[in-house]
Amino acid sequence: MGLFYGYYIVPALIGSKTVKAWGQANFLAFVVPGVMRDLDLSTGEASIAFAVATFIGALLQMPLGLAVDRWGARIVLSVMLLVTASGMVCLATTQGAVQLMIAFLILRTSFAVDTSNDACVTQWFKRLRARVQSIVNVTSTILPLILVT
């Protein structure tokens, strides 16, 4: 009898959450100033576009949770990777503030990897899901701090 499959899932979830948290901040820190300069946007205009996209993206996470329940985390994560790629293309080809907001919206929605991670923990750990979820969350929060220093 082999090792419980859930034990393989935990490092993968920690890795995906770590990359998401670390990558999202670095991506936005380096890309947004250049986009603002190229589009001649003020800090306020870019901030409004990002805030509106974040709010709408947060609301779109509810249907994302329903999709994970219906089709499973594997399918939803695959679709989210394609959506993330389309958001990057949209950001690279944006021509104005409205398109920038749409690109931010796509990226903010697709960065909702946490919903799929939570579903994976729930699927594989029926009894210990709170403990395992806390391990995944704490480790993925601390790991970028360790890697940066």
Side-chain angles (χ1 to χ4, degrees):
M1 183 169 192
L3 190 63
F4 174 55
Y5 187 67
Y7 295 139
Y8 294 108
I9 293 290
V10 171
L13 297 178
I14 290 171
S16 71
K17 286 185 78 157
T18 301
V19 169
K20 181 204 83 123
W22 199 14
Q24 182 177 359
N26 289 336
F27 173 78
L28 293 173
F30 290 111
V31 171
V32 172
V35 171
M36 287 173 49
R37 187 175 50 254
D38 290 347
L39 298 178
D40 196 31
L41 295 175
S42 69
T43 304
E45 291 169 328
S47 295
I48 288 172
F50 188 74
V52 168
T54 300
F55 180 76
I56 295 171
L59 294 177
L60 291 176
Q61 288 182 32
M62 290 182 276
L64 185 63
L66 295 172
V68 170
D69 290 341
R70 184 171 188 168
W71 295 299
R74 183 182 303 171
I75 292 172
V76 174
L77 276 173
S78 300
V79 170
M80 285 170 51
L81 289 173
L82 293 173
V83 170
T84 301
S86 69
M88 302 276 185
V89 170
C90 186
L91 186 62
T93 60
T94 187
Q95 298 294 319
V98 173
Q99 286 179 325
L100 180 64
M101 186 178 71
I102 292 169
F104 281 155
L105 174 62
I106 293 169
L107 291 174
R108 294 301 288 169
T109 303
S110 66
F111 284 146
V113 148
D114 295 338
T115 303
S116 299
N117 282 348
D118 297 342
C120 285
V121 169
T122 302
Q123 177 181 353
W124 288 102
F125 295 92
K126 300 293 184 199
R127 274 192 18 223
L128 303 172
R129 67 177 157 239
R131 184 181 307 170
V132 173
Q133 189 63 50
S134 65
I135 291 169
V136 169
N137 289 337
V138 168
T139 308
S140 63
T141 301
I142 293 173
L143 198 58
L145 298 174
I146 295 169
L147 293 174
V148 169
T149 56

